[in-house]
Amino acid sequence: MNKKAFITGITGQDGSYLTEFLISKGYEVHGIMRRSSAFNTERIDHLMDNEEIMNKKLFMYYGDLADGTNLSRLLEKIKPDEIYNLGAQSHVRVSFDIPVYTGDITGMGTTRLLEAVRETQIKTKFYQASSSELYGLAQEVPQKETTPFYPRSPYGAAKLYAYWMAVNYRESYNMFACNGILFNHESPRRGGTFVTKKITRALANIAAKKQDKLFLGNLDAKRDWGYAKDYVEAMWMMLQQDKPDDYVIATGETHSVKEFLQEAFSYVGLDWNKYVEIDPRYFRPAEVDLLIGDATKAKEKLGWVPKTNFKELVKIMVDADLKEAGVNK
Ligand code: NAP
Ligand code: GDD
C-alpha cells in the first residue's frame, strides 16, 4: 500500500516541492488549502491539472490552521502515515504588523494540529517546520541544535512555541514528532516579498526595461541561503528514521543581502548600485543580523548534505525570472 502524507502549507514554496518529491516516491499526498477570493494554487497547478495525478496521487481539501475541528475530521478520514506542518504566516516583517494572527496560525495552529493527532489517536509521524529565526540574536556562531534560542520577532516567538509543542508531544505522548530547524531556503517559487525573489524579479524587470528602481531595507543582514528543493528532501529523511529528533538544515555558508545583489546583478552584467535605493519601510523593529548553520548532525544521522551552493542558487533564480520576463541572456 502506498504511504499517505498530509501537508499543511501545500500551496507554498516548500509544500509544492515536497508534494512533487513525495509523489515521485510513490506517496498519496493530501493537502489543505485556504479558501481565497483569488487563485492561490499557482505553485501546484501543474499537478492539479494533471489527470494522472489529481485525485489519484494528490487530494486537495479546504482547511485552515485556525480550524481545529476540520483538521481532526480530515485526519480521521485520511489517516496519514506522515504529517508535514508547513502552513504558517511565514513573513517576519509582516509578523510585526499582525503579531496576534501570526501567533494564532504559526504558533497555536501547530498545537491544533498536534491535538487533532492526539484526539483521533492515529498512528502517524509529524514534521514541524521550525526555523533558524529561533536563533534570532544569535548566541553562538555557527548555530546548531544545542545553540540557545533568542527569537527577535513575533514570527520567531510563534515558531519557538510551536517548536516546544512538538517536543512536548513527543515527550508526553510518545508521538513521532521532529523539528526541522531550516535556515533560509529559496527558489524560483519563493514568495515575491522575500528579499531574494524581490531582487531576482526586479533584476529581470530591469533587464527587460520594465522597471528602473528597486527599493530595499537592510542590506547588511547575513543569511545562510540554500535551495528549497534540497531542503524538502531533508524533511522526508527526518521522518524515515527509527527515532524522532530535531535537526538543523543549512549550507554552512553565509552572505549579506548586498552580496546577493552583487552576485545577481553581475551575472547579467549590471551594477546594482545604480538601481537600488533604501526605503526605511523595509527595516524591521528588531533585526536578525547573522545566521549561519552547522548541519553536521543532519549529515551524520540522515546522510543529508546540500547539493546547491549560493552561486548556483542565485543563477537558478535569476535565470527563471529572466525567462519569465522574456529576456534572453
Ligand atoms: P510560504 O511560501 O509562505 O507558504 C506558507 C504556506 O502556509 C502557504 O501554503 C499558505 O497558504 C499557508 N498558510 C498560511 N496561512 C495559513 C493558515 N491560516 N492555515 C493553513 N495554511 C496557511 O512558506 P515556505 O517558504 O514554503 O515555508 C514553509 C514553512 O517553513 C513555513 O512554516 C515557514 O514558516 C517555514 N520555514 C521557511 C523557511 C524558508 O526559508 N522558506 C525557513 C524556515 C522555516 P496560502 O498559499 O493560501 O497563503
Ligand atoms: N523581505 C525583505 N524585503 N527583506 C529585506 C528587504 C526587503 O525589501 N531589504 C532587506 N531585507 C533583509 C531583511 O531585513 C532580512 O534581514 C533579510 O533581508 C532576509 O529577509 P527575508 O527574505 O524576508 O527572510 P527572513 O530571513 O526574514 O525570513 C525567512 O527565513 C526564515 C528562516 O530564517 C522566512 O522564510 C521565514 O519564514 C523563515 O523562517
Side-chain angles (χ1 to χ4, degrees):
M1 257 250 298
N2 291 345
K3 274 192 182 176
K4 290 184 196 172
F6 179 79
I7 305 180
T8 71
I10 193 168
T11 57
Q13 170 188 257
D14 291 4
S16 66
Y17 286 119
L18 181 64
T19 300
E20 287 170 357
F21 175 76
L22 292 175
I23 288 175
S24 78
K25 287 260 168 214
Y27 277 68
E28 208 177 82
V29 175
H30 299 254
I32 56 166
M33 59 183 180
R34 299 193 285 174
R35 192 272 154 183
S36 160
S37 67
F39 296 114
N40 62 353
T41 55
E42 197 189 354
R43 294 183 179 102
I44 52 168
D45 276 345
H46 60 292
L47 301 173
M48 291 177 73
D49 292 342
N50 184 327
E51 279 181 21
E52 297 301 310
I53 291 178
M54 193 57 192
N55 294 328
K56 295 190 179 78
K57 295 171 182 167
L58 172 63
F59 301 82
M60 295 293 293
Y61 313 83
Y62 284 109
D64 198 299
L65 285 162
D67 181 356
T69 314
N70 180 51
L71 293 173
S72 288
R73 208 170 29 239
L74 288 173
L75 292 190
E76 181 76 57
K77 183 176 149 182
I78 299 160
K79 297 193 173 51
D81 301 284
E82 296 169 12
I83 296 175
Y84 295 87
N85 184 32
L86 311 183
Q89 190 303 91
S90 73
H91 203 283
V92 174
R93 174 68 191 82
V94 172
S95 78
F96 287 97
D97 296 333
I98 47 169
V100 175
Y101 176 78
T102 303
D104 188 36
I105 301 307
T106 306
M108 197 59 81
T110 305
T111 305
R112 289 193 189 97
L113 191 55
L114 287 164
E115 272 295 272
V117 174
R118 191 163 76 96
E119 262 167 40
T120 53
Q121 296 186 341
I122 56 167
K123 183 134 185 54
T124 191
K125 292 180 170 181
F126 191 97
Y127 173 84
Q128 171 56 22
S130 284
S131 162
S132 48
E133 279 291 303
L134 297 178
Y135 299 117
L137 187 64
Q139 303 292 295
E140 190 180 18
V141 179
Q143 297 88 46
K144 52 183 186 284
E145 292 79 3
T146 50
T147 302
F149 298 135
Y150 196 134
R152 291 267 276 174
S153 64
Y155 168 83
K159 281 285 184 190
L160 182 73
Y161 167 70
Y163 170 96
W164 282 116
M165 288 309 279
V167 172
N168 191 254
Y169 276 57
R170 180 165 81 211
E171 294 176 354
S172 305
Y173 308 118
N174 208 19
M175 207 181 270
F176 194 110
C178 299
N179 282 290
I181 308 172
L182 271 50
F183 282 62
N184 297 51
H185 47 281
E186 322 291 312
S187 73
R189 295 185 196 165
R190 185 57 143 153
T193 61
F194 296 96
V195 77
T196 54
K197 182 71 181 178
K198 193 172 160 182
I199 292 170
T200 59
R201 182 180 279 164
L203 168 57
N205 286 335
I206 288 167
K209 311 245 178 293
K210 292 182 200 156
Q211 183 174 340
D212 55 9
K213 282 276 167 255
L214 166 59
F215 294 94
L216 293 172
N218 177 12
L219 306 187
D220 296 322
K222 289 183 148 188
R223 291 290 181 274
D224 180 331
W225 279 298
Y227 185 28
K229 242 183 175 175
D230 297 347
Y231 284 38
V232 297
E233 212 166 322
M235 299 175 184
W236 173 79
M237 284 172 154
M238 288 177 212
L239 298 196
Q240 310 315 308
Q241 305 306 303
D242 293 335
K243 287 196 184 129
D245 207 342
D246 309 316
Y247 300 89
V248 159
I249 300 298
T251 68
E253 237 189 89
T254 194
H255 295 276
S256 65
V257 174
K258 220 177 258 173
E259 284 165 352
F260 192 101
L261 278 167
Q262 175 64 28
E263 188 65 39
F265 276 69
S266 63
Y267 176 60
V268 294
L270 294 174
D271 176 0
W272 66 269
N273 288 287
K274 291 189 182 150
Y275 304 96
V276 173
E277 278 185 22
I278 302 302
D279 185 337
R281 276 188 310 148
Y282 297 114
F283 291 147
R284 294 160 185 202
E287 179 62 283
V288 170
D289 295 317
L290 168 67
L291 291 175
I292 176 166
D294 174 355
T296 305
K297 181 174 169 185
K299 184 177 178 191
E300 285 174 356
K301 298 217 165 152
L302 306 176
W304 181 88
V305 284
K307 296 177 190 144
T308 315
N309 68 25
F310 176 71
K311 220 179 163 68
E312 289 160 343
L313 171 69
V314 175
K315 185 175 172 318
I316 290 169
M317 293 182 72
V318 175
D319 281 341
D321 281 325
L322 288 175
K323 195 169 166 210
E324 182 81 27
V327 179
N328 290 321
K329 190 172 177 285

